[in-house]
Amino acid sequence: MAGFPFFQLERFLKILVQDLNKHVAISEEFPNDASAKIKSGGLLFDRRVTRVVTSGTLVDEKFMDPYDNNFLLAISPKQPELAPATARSRPLEDDALPLTATAKVGLAWLDLSTGEFFTQATSVGSLSTLVVRIGAREIVLGKTMGEESQKSILAMLGQERNLVTWHPRYPLQSRVADWTPMLEAQVPVSEQNLFSTEEIAAGSMLLDYVRDRLQGLGIKLQPPLRREETENMVIDKNSLKGLEILETSRSGTTGGKGSLLHAVRRTVTKGGARLLRERISSPSTSLAVIDRRLDLVECFLRNRSLSESIVNLLRRTFDSQRLVQKFSLGRGDADDLISLLRTIAITENIASVMQSVASETQESIITHENRVNSIASLMKRLSLEGPTALALRISESIDEDGLAESHRDEQVESANVISMAQDVLTAEGKPDDLEAMSQVVRSKTAVKGLRQLNTDEDDVWIMRRNANSTLEKFHGNLTALRQEKSTLTDTLKSQMEASSLTLRWTPGLGHICHIRGAKDVRSSMEKFGSARNASTTKSTRSFYLPEWSNLGGRIDQSKMQIRAEEQRVFQELREQVVINLVKLRRNAAVLDELDVACSAASLADEQSLVRPILNDSASHIILGGRHATVQLGLEEQGRAFVSNDCFVGDPERIWLITGPNMAGKSTFLRQNALISILAQVGSFVPADHVEIGIVDRIFSRIGSADNLYQDQSTFMVEMLETAVILKQATPRSFVIMDEVGRGTTPEDGIAVGFACLHHLYHTNRCRTLFATHFHALADMTSEWGGVGCYCTDVAETGSGSFSYVHRLRHGVNNRSHALKVATLAGIPKAAIDVASQVLDTFQDSTRGKLHSQPAASAAT
């Protein structure tokens, strides 16, 4: 066990919790009452653990990523049926048998910093994809889980190197209604029966774990939002990584440059960035939801002045989701109240702007009824009456100038402490200690402005003196006492004939009379020589006078009354925030949606994106499609992106794509998957025209990588990903597969590639883009009516130079031109010549021999 100074708490929490995934217990001192003093042997204070901080239970720590959620996830497999007597006699344990891919699993996850709470029922086979999509910082499993269940789940979690914490599963609630004390509102009775037993078990374990870590700290979460697998497009974990949707393989950072999230994010608020991340990782499958989002984006795209006005207002808002949650935990301070005040004021301004535009645009700028309704529906969700009254109360109560002055005092005090520590480290410490010390940042106190009494006449108050009648009365008393002090000072100066006399208070001496100058000191000794001295030098004298001691005590008492009343007013404001919790969260959600919509409109205007048309068909009609991230990279280099069309679905469910290396096959595959995702997110897309039938799942088999940690070769990884696609793809899915079978011999590769095409065509019957260098596959599938062959090419000149033709054309390209890429890469010419000779010999000997009669019969 180890401890560290409080002012270094944030620094060490980041190191221990965020960087090293450790659990940190925070212990605080509490005064003992009379009985406790006797029991403890006379100790004045008792130390107790007030919170255990883990990666998933962060609340308002400064090192949290403001642009990403900090989710804590609990997983609970299906419960076995036990007889009542058995259930009472021993803890609940899972089945001893291993979990199958179809076994039911309950998930529950929450973000303590925002109060968001979700549940979902799924299967073990889909668990890894959900875990990656949620991106939980910590995963909680029950200690009583059966051994085989542990192995099944840990094997899946181990692949992603997740932080796993074990927690006792009993005693736990067994009903959704029992979650109510930790929720801002009860789950409606009509909805409670919708939760599966697995979801309830996971949610109960999650809340029990949170209670244990917060050690009784009050919390109010949003009512759990139950997710259905059919509500959102499923993007399996391999596609999330391969398509670089949230992060790139190079950076590993959410929203890093090169990812889809980075390419489309134009949000200006932290909450908006989190909402955009959530939507991109789980696009909607509801036509109504998607169209509502697109209507709002089109509204802002057609009215750029409205969009810019709202964006400028949103820039001045604060992260109210996390602010409100701090107050629900009893941790909000005066600064947070001011931030909330300004956010409420800006919300009112936004509502006013939207109201005026909604009334004006029905006849002028916006004539489409849906776009008018998109603004009206958002405005209806805003609740301003309670928050406006709260903002007025905050404004009337908190003195922002006094708050700023208190911060300056704290900075001075903090600087003094750090300077003292640096002096000690300079004299006795090591260079590393001094370097670490320079990184220390000042921690906020729980309540601003509640400081020790100082020697200054002008005390700093964070509440206005007229915040309520009691404070006004106490400040009036203090003013009268200070006037009495001024009168006493003048009287004593006259009696002692000592103009330098001052009445002071110091921490060491208390209330004293202080005189400077030898003449005034002699005069005071003559007049008040009998007064008890506190300290004396040749030129100064400090002594006690009963009159000042009595008056000073009354002044101190008056200040204490003001401090206590300020604390009471501050607590009232906190309670008012909690009372308005639901309305404030609802308003924050509206601001987040506005931010995402304005972001999408800005992106569409900036990159000439178009509105996609979503329908219930099983086809893709994409004219002039572009890759959202590759286009940006080329433009930075001053190069143009070559767009391509895609008409996969009806009548051609599968596009078989051949062509040279480096000619854009992989880019074409990915860009159509990304366009599908953006369309169902509710964003405009990079193309000239887009019509897409709703996609329920997106799968991708692209790139090559091994997993030596799991003893998996490159080809094994490829086959594992392929197996997931062939098992899970439905007729409404969209699949992209790039060079399946390349990790083995050409013969085996062609066999595997043909088998995949056969299964996708005859069994899955889904929209598929299949890129390959196995040109024989085109001949082997030529009798299939639903397969179209397309290719890229190389344009060569008589001088031997060449350029890539990225535009797809109908047909098959039987040459991969791999040696051209090798030449560009700098392979020595002698090696290239040898390769050319071998290639010519091989082509002569194998021409026409790759058509297999058994394969042809299998096709039929």
Side-chain angles (χ1 to χ4, degrees):
M1 180 177 289
F4 42 80
F6 177 76
F7 70 88
Q8 288 190 322
L9 177 62
E10 288 282 342
R11 171 179 171 241
F12 279 99
L13 280 181
K14 181 182 185 304
I15 294 173
L16 294 170
V17 177
Q18 181 169 280
D19 299 341
L20 301 178
N21 289 327
K22 302 298 182 182
H23 294 190
V24 176
I26 297 179
S27 175
E28 296 183 20
E29 287 187 341
F30 296 87
N32 282 328
D33 56 22
S35 60
K37 288 179 184 177
I38 296 174
K39 294 178 181 178
S40 63
L43 294 178
L44 298 178
F45 294 92
D46 180 31
R47 286 186 177 179
R48 297 197 297 269
V49 173
T50 57
R51 185 183 168 203
V52 179
V53 184
T54 67
S55 298
T57 57
L58 302 177
V59 176
D60 61 348
E61 283 68 26
K62 296 176 184 176
F63 54 81
M64 291 177 65
D65 184 353
Y67 301 103
D68 202 359
N69 283 102
N70 195 83
F71 283 126
L72 172 70
L73 169 68
I75 302 174
S76 177
K78 180 176 176 59
Q79 304 289 328
E81 298 293 335
L82 295 177
T86 307
R88 290 192 299 269
S89 63
R90 66 179 179 87
L92 190 63
E93 293 188 359
D94 294 322
D95 293 319
L97 297 176
L99 296 174
T100 62
T102 58
K104 294 297 183 182
V105 178
L107 281 76
W109 64 99
L110 58 80
D111 184 347
L112 279 178
S113 69
T114 63
E116 295 168 289
F117 184 17
F118 305 92
T119 70
Q120 182 169 334
T122 187
S123 62
V124 172
S126 302
L127 186 56
S128 60
T129 291
L130 271 175
V131 169
V132 172
R133 179 180 67 78
I134 294 168
R137 297 292 192 272
E138 181 182 4
I139 297 176
V140 180
L141 299 177
K143 279 186 177 179
T144 57
M145 186 185 298
E147 183 178 351
E148 294 300 326
S149 296
Q150 288 185 19
K151 291 180 180 178
S152 301
I153 293 181
L154 287 177
M156 182 278 299
L157 297 178
Q159 297 176 14
E160 306 301 327
R161 312 292 179 87
N162 297 106
L163 171 64
V164 175
T165 301
W166 296 94
H167 181 68
R169 184 176 289 174
Y170 60 95
L172 296 175
Q173 301 97 329
S174 58
R175 301 179 305 154
V176 174
D178 295 326
W179 299 350
T180 302
M182 298 182 71
L183 305 178
E184 66 183 20
Q186 184 178 3
V187 179
V189 177
S190 60
E191 298 179 12
Q192 292 182 13
N193 294 331
L194 300 178
F195 291 84
S196 68
T197 55
E198 293 80 25
E199 289 175 278
I200 295 174
S204 297
M205 179 169 61
L206 181 69
L207 296 181
D208 191 66
Y209 180 80
V210 168
R211 270 194 300 269
D212 181 65
R213 291 301 179 261
L214 295 183
Q215 292 289 302
L217 187 65
I219 182 175
K220 290 296 179 183
L221 300 169
Q222 300 177 41
L225 179 61
R226 188 170 185 270
R227 289 282 180 83
E228 294 277 2
E229 284 192 334
T230 56
E231 291 177 351
N232 302 100
M233 175 197 291
V234 176
I235 308 175
D236 77 305
K237 66 174 184 178
N238 299 319
S239 299
L240 278 172
K241 296 177 181 178
L243 296 174
E244 298 185 318
I245 293 173
L246 300 178
E247 60 186 37
T248 65
S249 56
R250 298 171 299 282
S251 69
T253 303
T254 300
K257 188 173 183 179
S259 66
L260 177 65
L261 180 57
H262 178 271
V264 303
R265 186 170 63 193
R266 300 293 185 275
T267 50
V268 296
T269 68
K270 299 177 178 66
R274 294 195 297 268
L275 178 60
L276 180 61
R277 191 258 186 214
E278 177 191 340
R279 287 186 178 180
I280 284 183
S281 62
S282 55
S284 177
T285 56
S286 167
L287 282 173
V289 170
I290 296 170
D291 284 336
R292 279 199 302 270
R293 294 175 182 175
L294 291 171
D295 287 339
L296 194 58
V297 174
E298 186 167 0
C299 169
F300 291 126
L301 180 60
R302 288 175 174 265
N303 192 343
R304 297 301 297 142
S305 60
L306 170 63
S307 177
E308 291 169 4
S309 297
I310 291 179
V311 167
N312 289 332
L313 288 169
L314 287 172
R315 290 183 192 277
R316 294 158 48 197
T317 62
F318 294 83
D319 193 350
S320 47
Q321 285 277 22
R322 286 185 168 172
L323 281 176
V324 170
Q325 185 64 6
K326 287 174 67 175
F327 283 101
S328 79
L329 291 164
R331 296 170 64 88
D333 56 29
D335 290 303
D336 297 325
L337 285 173
I338 295 298
S339 298
L340 202 55
L341 161 68
R342 291 173 180 163
T343 300
I344 293 171
I346 292 170
T347 304
E348 294 173 347
N349 293 339
I350 289 174
S352 177
V353 170
M354 291 173 63
Q355 177 64 51
S356 62
V357 170
S359 59
E360 292 174 2
T361 55
Q362 292 205 7
E363 298 180 357
S364 56
I365 301 175
I366 302 178
T367 59
H368 197 289
E369 182 180 356
N370 290 343
R371 294 195 290 272
V372 176
N373 292 338
S374 65
I375 289 183
S377 62
L378 272 183
M379 291 179 57
K380 288 179 181 178
R381 290 168 52 195
L382 285 174
S383 301
L384 295 176
E385 184 176 351
T388 298
L390 171 64
L392 179 62
R393 179 62 180 137
I394 294 173
S395 177
E396 292 174 344
S397 300
I398 296 182
D399 184 350
E400 294 190 47
D401 292 335
L403 185 60
E405 182 64 29
S406 73
H407 290 336
R408 285 191 286 271
D409 289 350
E410 288 172 357
Q411 289 171 356
V412 170
E413 183 179 353
S414 177
N416 291 337
V417 172
I418 292 176
S419 176
M420 184 184 304
Q422 287 176 332
D423 291 341
V424 173
L425 290 176
T426 301
E428 304 177 8
K430 299 177 181 179
D432 292 344
D433 298 329
L434 190 60
E435 181 180 356
M437 188 67 200
S438 66
Q439 300 173 2
V440 174
V441 294
R442 176 177 56 88
S443 296
K444 293 181 181 179
T445 54
V447 180
K448 300 295 185 185
L450 306 184
R451 306 175 306 151
Q452 289 186 344
L453 300 177
N454 57 31
T455 60
D456 297 332
E457 284 289 323
D458 298 326
D459 293 272
V460 178
W461 311 108
I462 64 170
M463 295 294 172
R464 297 182 187 276
R465 56 186 300 153
N466 61 347
N468 63 17
S469 57
T470 304
L471 265 181
E472 195 167 14
K473 173 185 174 183
F474 288 161
H475 275 288
N477 293 341
L478 181 60
T479 299
L481 290 172
R482 281 177 171 163
Q483 181 58 46
E484 190 174 338
K485 174 186 175 182
S486 178
T487 302
L488 177 61
T489 300
D490 293 340
T491 300
L492 292 175
K493 283 181 179 180
S494 175
Q495 291 178 353
M496 296 185 188
E497 298 179 356
S499 59
S500 64
L501 181 140
T502 57
L503 302 180
R504 297 182 177 181
W505 177 88
T506 64
L509 301 177
H511 295 92
I512 58 173
C513 301
H514 182 74
I515 296 177
R516 291 179 303 160
K519 179 181 177 182
D520 287 352
V521 170
R522 287 195 300 272
S523 177
S524 69
M525 292 295 291
E526 293 173 2
K527 304 290 184 179
F528 288 85
S530 61
R532 183 165 64 90
N533 287 330
S535 65
T536 305
T537 66
K538 291 182 179 181
S539 58
T540 63
R541 182 192 179 197
S542 298
F543 57 95
Y544 297 102
L545 277 181
E547 295 90 337
W548 169 229
S549 297
N550 178 269
L551 177 59
R554 288 157 56 202
I555 291 175
D556 290 348
Q557 182 65 29
S558 179
K559 289 180 180 179
M560 290 174 62
Q561 288 177 330
I562 293 174
R563 302 286 183 198
E565 184 61 19
E566 281 196 340
Q567 180 66 58
R568 195 185 68 79
V569 172
F570 181 75
Q571 190 59 36
E572 284 182 356
L573 292 175
R574 274 181 167 171
E575 292 171 358
Q576 287 300 310
V577 173
V578 175
I579 289 173
N580 287 277
L581 198 63
V582 176
K583 294 179 180 179
L584 291 169
R585 280 176 169 162
R586 188 182 301 138
N587 293 348
V590 171
L591 296 186
D592 293 346
E593 290 184 36
L594 281 172
D595 190 20
V596 171
C598 289
S599 167
S602 298
L603 182 71
D605 183 56
E606 171 190 319
Q607 299 185 10
S608 301
L609 309 185
V610 299
R611 174 171 178 158
I613 300 171
L614 282 299
N615 52 50
D616 286 322
S617 71
S619 296
H620 269 54
I621 301 175
I622 299 175
L623 298 175
R626 308 186 297 276
H627 193 295
T629 58
V630 173
Q631 182 181 6
L632 291 178
L634 289 176
E635 288 176 349
E636 289 179 359
Q637 303 171 32
R639 299 164 59 192
F641 184 90
V642 178
S643 61
N644 269 301
D645 302 337
C646 178
F647 305 105
V648 69
D650 186 17
E652 297 173 337
R653 288 200 311 274
I654 297 179
W655 274 28
L656 185 63
I657 303 167
T658 56
N661 297 101
M662 294 288 292
K665 299 190 304 297
S666 297
T667 299
F668 177 75
L669 266 60
R670 298 178 196 213
Q671 77 186 35
N672 289 291
L674 296 181
I675 287 173
S676 305
I677 291 170
L678 288 176
Q680 292 185 215
V681 164
S683 170
F684 281 33
V685 297
D688 298 330
H689 177 80
V690 172
E691 293 183 37
I692 294 178
I694 290 292
V695 175
D696 66 348
R697 293 168 176 261
I698 277 188
F699 296 97
S700 69
R701 160 77 286 280
I702 51 182
S704 62
D706 55 26
N707 187 350
L708 299 181
Y709 179 78
Q710 297 288 332
D711 193 26
Q712 295 170 356
S713 67
T714 302
F715 186 67
M716 172 57 81
V717 171
E718 179 182 323
M719 290 299 98
L720 288 171
E721 295 177 2
T722 301
V724 170
I725 297 173
L726 300 184
K727 289 178 180 179
Q728 298 183 8
T730 73
R732 301 199 67 85
S733 298
F734 185 73
V735 173
I736 62 172
M737 303 189 78
D738 192 10
E739 300 184 31
V740 172
R742 65 180 170 182
T744 184
T745 64
E747 293 80 6
D748 287 348
I750 291 172
V752 170
F754 178 80
C756 290
L757 283 170
H758 188 275
H759 200 280
L760 290 167
Y761 185 82
H762 292 285
T763 304
N764 303 108
R765 304 181 67 82
C766 55
R767 287 162 276 182
T768 303
L769 300 179
F770 194 99
T772 184
H773 287 292
F774 298 138
H775 313 122
L777 294 177
D779 297 328
M780 298 167 70
T781 58
S782 60
E783 301 299 322
W784 301 356
V787 176
C789 294
Y790 296 85
C791 65
T792 56
D793 211 339
V794 165
E796 300 182 273
T797 65
S799 62
S801 62
F802 69 93
S803 62
Y804 290 109
V805 179
H806 298 289
R807 183 86 62 189
L808 259 69
R809 62 176 175 83
H810 195 279
V812 178
N813 191 328
N814 290 315
R815 297 186 61 191
S816 293
H817 298 277
L819 298 187
K820 289 183 172 61
V821 177
T823 302
L824 290 175
I827 299 295
K829 186 177 183 305
I832 297 294
D833 292 340
V834 172
S836 298
Q837 296 172 11
V838 173
L839 180 61
D840 291 340
T841 303
F842 179 76
Q843 288 177 340
D844 291 340
S845 63
T846 60
R847 197 181 311 275
K849 296 182 180 180
L850 293 178
H851 302 285
S852 169
Q853 182 63 36
S857 62
T860 61

